Amino acid sequence: MLRVIWLFLFVLTLSSLIVNSYSVKIFLEGPVALIISQDGSSNVIYVTQNTTLNLQGNISITAYPLLPGYTIQINGKNVTSLNLNVTAPETIRVISHPTYVYLTIMLHGNGYVRVTLENGTTYTLNSTSKLRIQNMSYVLISTPLSRESIINGSQTNFYILYLDNNTTINVTILSSNRSSFSLTPISLTGIGLGLILLAIYIFFRRKENK
């Protein structure tokens, strides 16, 4: 009888020491990665795709966008980290979506301006316009080579701009036509190098987005 009682108490004590783990479903949308750490454990879990983990107790979740110009939402809140006490099955949804800024082109004079985005989209503007563009991205602003123009105080026909805030650019197209002789090899080389650098940047950004 004493042996039965002792065995019962042993099983009861052992069961009280067992900590249950629970299913935590993680859904990711957009370019985002998670780092999950658990109290009392030195292990860190790195998550880059939808998965299900067995966890328990206090956990810390930190989300990082994998591309510039993106912001994070965790379970519908605009936060990048979350502390959670897992005592039951949980679902965690993390969304990384782009943020946008406004580019205003103040056009002076008769003519047009082309604005080329990283994804290849081109806008042709004949008057002052405001464009909604992804934040932390490059744009190419260009005017016809046959016309002299001033972009943001510089006499040039092309201008590369990195957007990290709402920005206004002044473009003045001069009334006189440019002589074909004014297109010197130096100016053409500069234009070509600028376009090549932008093309290389766009190429690598597209590879990152895949």
Side-chain angles (χ1 to χ4, degrees), residues 38 51 53 64 72 124 152:
Q38 190 170 341
T51 188
L53 303 174
Y64 299 92
I72 298 292
T124 301
N152 246 27

Side-chain angles (χ1 to χ4, degrees), residues 24 31 44 78 88 114:
V24 178
V44 174
N78 294 323
R114 282 200 176 98

